[in-house]
């Protein structure tokens, strides 16, 4: 049986965590930042359980610091972190080559800020032929309207807007999946 091509597949997924840095998160509405970090953590844990590669970017780490420890503590040791000064992740040295080398076409984007780095990354990755899934409850912006219009713009350009629970359930596909119990434990 074939499935809809827009349903996520473990074998075709790549999770990209965009600039989840403490100093940047501190500028976000506190509740939004906490929700984003918790949901990104669940996705990173699930990716580890399912052997889905994860890439991280850090926007100007000299000034904004490194990725939140709650995320780095659960990453596999071989996770690549790309420093960048450009807003699109694609501007980071070696990033697009690394994405291409995974041979995965479904990109799951999470992080901040929705209307800057996430948006620019989504648009560029779609331009390069990737299917982009933006996890609306795992991204944020300083202002709610900026996130709203960024999501609208990304969707108009062809990105799929989803949520972290949908991603988790699409990855396992069935309650008989060997990791279903562990994955369902990540739901909040």
């Amino acid at each position: 049986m074939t499935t809809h091509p827009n349903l996520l597949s473990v074998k075709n997924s790549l999770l990209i965590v965009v600039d989840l840095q403490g100093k940047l998160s501190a500028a976000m509405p506190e509740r939004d930042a906490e929700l984003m970090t918790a949901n990104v953590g669940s996705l990173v844990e699930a990716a580890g359980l399912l052997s889905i590669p994860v890439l991280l970017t850090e926007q100007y780490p000299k000034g904004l610091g490194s990725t939140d420890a709650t995320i780095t503590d659960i990453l596999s040791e071989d996770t690549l972190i790309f420093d960048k000064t450009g807003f699109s992740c694609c501007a980071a040295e070696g990033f697009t080559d690394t994405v291409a080398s995974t041979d995965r076409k479904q990109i799951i984007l999470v992080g901040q800020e929705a209307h800057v780095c996430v948006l620019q990354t989504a648009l560029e990755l779609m331009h390069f032929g990737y299917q982009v899934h933006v996890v609306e409850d795992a991204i944020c912006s300083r202002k709610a309207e900026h996130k709203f219009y960024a999501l609208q713009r990304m969707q108009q350009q062809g990105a799929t807007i989803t949520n972290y629970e949908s991603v988790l359930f699409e990855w396992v596909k069935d309650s008989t999946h060997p990791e279903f119990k562990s994955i369902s434990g990540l739901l909040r």
Side-chain angles (χ1 to χ4, degrees):
M1 180 176 91
T2 61
T3 63
H4 191 280
N6 201 32
L7 285 171
L8 293 170
S9 155
V10 166
K11 293 180 179 176
N12 203 23
S13 290
L14 173 64
L15 178 62
I16 298 175
V17 180
V18 180
D19 309 342
L20 204 84
Q21 297 155 266
K23 286 184 182 178
L24 190 53
S25 295
M28 304 299 141
E30 186 176 355
R31 188 171 171 271
D32 294 349
E34 288 172 358
L35 178 67
M36 172 190 63
T37 302
N39 292 345
V40 169
S42 293
L43 290 166
V44 168
E45 280 191 59
L49 291 168
L50 300 169
S51 300
I52 294 169
V54 179
L55 301 178
L56 268 74
T57 63
E58 293 178 342
Q59 180 68 31
Y60 186 62
K62 286 182 187 176
L64 295 175
S66 57
T67 300
D68 190 297
T70 59
I71 302 303
T72 56
D73 289 350
I74 57 176
L75 289 171
S76 70
E77 292 178 14
D78 60 346
T79 302
L80 296 177
I81 300 176
F82 295 86
D83 293 356
K84 65 186 187 67
T85 55
F87 299 118
S88 171
C89 295
C90 297
E93 186 175 336
F95 181 83
T96 54
D97 289 340
T98 301
V99 171
S101 74
T102 68
D103 202 28
R104 291 167 182 255
K105 292 295 186 184
Q106 294 177 323
I107 309 295
I108 297 92
L109 279 181
V110 298
Q112 57 196 358
E113 280 194 77
H115 65 292
V116 183
C117 298
V118 173
L119 176 119
Q120 291 185 30
T121 302
L123 293 178
E124 287 202 326
L125 288 171
M126 286 186 289
H127 177 71
F128 296 141
Y130 294 97
Q131 185 186 97
V132 175
H133 297 253
V134 179
V135 186
E136 61 84 18
D137 55 359
I139 63 170
C140 69
S141 290
R142 285 166 287 155
K143 294 182 179 181
E145 61 270 20
H146 290 173
K147 177 181 170 180
F148 174 82
Y149 288 111
L151 286 167
Q152 188 177 61
R153 183 173 173 200
M154 288 183 278
Q155 188 173 39
Q156 288 170 343
Q157 296 299 313
T160 298
I161 308 304
T162 189
N163 60 70
Y164 92 103
E165 284 194 25
S166 290
V167 172
L168 295 177
F169 283 110
E170 286 177 44
W171 280 346
V172 294
K173 302 240 184 288
D174 193 298
S175 63
T176 62
H177 189 285
E179 292 296 344
F180 176 74
K181 189 171 184 171
S182 298
I183 300 293
S184 63
L186 298 172
L187 303 175
R188 290 176 172 65

